[in-house]
Amino acid sequence: MRSVRVQLPARRGEPGGETHAELRDRHEDGHHLHHLVWRLGPGVRVCSSAVLGGGIGPRAWILNAQVPGGYPRLDPDRHLAEIAATEGLTGPGAGLMTAADVAAYTTGHDGGVTATVTTGLGVRGWAAVPESATHTSHRPGTVNIVLTLPAALSDAALVNAVATATEAKVQALLDAGLDCSGTPTDAVCVAAPEPGPDGGEPFAGPRSAWGARIARAVHTAVLAGARPPARDLS
C-alpha cells in the first residue's frame, strides 16, 4: 500500500481551494481509493465516534479512508492503523471509514469552524426503526463529519458539539429532499484545542456562539454533498 497527495480543484462549498485536510491517493488490492488526513499536531483533543480512536482525548491526527463497497475485512481499526502508518502518522489518532467517494468531499466554513464531510447515502433511513430492521447488515457508505474549530471546549461542550452537528446533518438531508435522518454507520469527529485552566467553552448547542457556527458549517457541507451538482445548461 502506498499513498500520494492529490492536487484537485476546490471542493463544493470550499473557498479558495484550501482545506484543513489533505486529500491522498492510494492503490489497495486492485482498487483506486482516496483518504483525507488531518495532521493536528500537539495540543488538540477530539471527541469522536470513530471506529479507531473514538471517545474524548488528545489526538494528533484524523483519517477518513475510503474502502470498496462490500467491504470484506472484519478489522477496520487495524486497517485504518495500516493506512495511518503509510502516512507516517504517529501518536494517538482517530480513524473513520466510508465507501463513499472521498475525493468528492464537501466543506462548510463559519466563523473559524470548518466542517469537512464525505457523503455516502446508498443505505439510508431513519434512526428509529422496528427491532427487526436493526439486525440487517450495512455497507460502510456513511456520512462522515469532521469538524475543526479554534476554541477550546469543555467535555460537555464537546459532546454537545457532536449532537449539534448531527441535528444540522439531519436538517440538511431534509432540505436536500431526502426522507431520512442519515445512514446506520454515520460518524462524527470534533477537533478543538485542549482547554486551559478555564475549562473551555461550556456550551456548544445550536444557540450558543460556537454551536451555531458548527450547525451552519455542517449544514452547508452536508447539503452540498447530498444535493447533486448543478448541471451546466449553457
Side-chain angles (χ1 to χ4, degrees):
M1 185 194 306
R2 67 179 182 84
S3 70
V4 296
R5 184 164 187 170
V6 179
Q7 297 292 339
L8 290 180
R11 302 295 91 198
R12 283 181 287 154
E14 180 182 345
E18 297 180 356
T19 181
H20 289 81
E22 300 173 26
L23 180 64
R24 307 286 288 188
D25 176 282
R26 76 186 192 280
H27 293 271
E28 185 179 302
D29 298 328
H31 298 282
H32 181 204
L33 303 167
H34 294 90
H35 52 275
L36 289 165
V37 178
W38 289 256
R39 303 178 193 271
L40 304 175
V44 176
R45 65 176 188 160
V46 171
C47 179
S48 172
S49 61
V51 67
L52 174 67
I56 298 178
R59 300 289 184 267
W61 49 269
I62 300 171
L63 174 69
N64 185 14
Q66 180 184 356
V67 297
Y71 182 66
R73 292 183 60 161
L74 300 177
D75 58 346
D77 52 344
R78 181 184 293 271
H79 189 185
L80 287 162
E82 292 168 359
I83 299 170
T86 68
E87 291 291 346
L89 302 174
T90 59
L96 308 96
M97 191 169 278
T98 181
D101 180 8
V102 167
Y105 72 93
T106 53
T107 60
H109 306 267
D110 195 290
V113 175
T114 296
T116 305
V117 175
T118 53
T119 308
L121 292 166
V123 181
R124 62 180 185 264
W126 293 100
V129 296
E131 184 177 1
S132 59
T134 64
H135 301 297
T136 58
S137 60
H138 301 290
R139 301 194 307 270
T142 82
V143 178
N144 282 343
I145 299 170
V146 176
L147 281 160
T148 58
L149 61 154
L153 302 179
S154 69
D155 286 358
L158 278 172
V159 175
N160 207 358
V162 173
T164 296
T166 303
E167 291 181 34
K169 175 198 72 174
V170 176
Q171 181 182 348
L173 294 174
L174 294 176
D175 287 346
L178 298 172
D179 188 24
C180 66
S181 58
T183 84
T185 50
D186 291 354
V188 181
C189 282
V190 180
E194 292 183 344
D198 64 352
E201 295 287 333
F203 306 113
R207 293 299 171 264
S208 68
W210 286 104
R213 294 164 186 161
I214 287 169
R216 289 189 293 264
V218 169
H219 184 271
T220 296
V222 174
L223 187 61
R227 283 178 172 168
R231 292 182 297 168
D232 186 358
L233 302 179
S234 60

